[in-house]
Amino acid sequence: MEKYLGDEVLATAILDRLLHHATTFHIRRNSYRMMEKKRAGIQPTRVDSFQEYV
């Protein structure tokens, strides 16, 4: 975020305010993008494979 706002502390404070009352949840299925990659036979990258490590 520092890249966009120019100040890491400011970016952290803004995210803290936005997410303070937010509800977060984890979806335990592949995204449509991931399913399309598998159908096309494209090998997922490590970032795309994050779900395997959760």
Side-chain angles (χ1 to χ4, degrees):
M1 284 300 288
E2 181 178 357
K3 175 177 149 183
Y4 301 106
L5 297 175
D7 183 8
E8 185 177 349
V9 175
L10 177 62
T12 302
I14 289 171
L15 287 174
D16 183 53
R17 296 285 182 189
L18 289 172
L19 300 174
H20 178 70
H21 292 289
T23 301
T24 58
F25 54 95
H26 179 75
I27 299 172
R28 293 196 173 263
R29 70 176 273 201
N30 288 334
S31 67
Y32 287 107
R33 181 180 58 133
M34 187 69 181
M35 288 187 284
E36 288 297 320
K37 280 186 176 184
K38 284 184 178 180
R39 276 190 217 134
I42 299 171
Q43 184 70 4
T45 63
R46 183 180 174 107
V47 173
D48 290 336
S49 301
F50 177 74
Q51 182 175 346
E52 296 173 13
Y53 301 104
V54 175

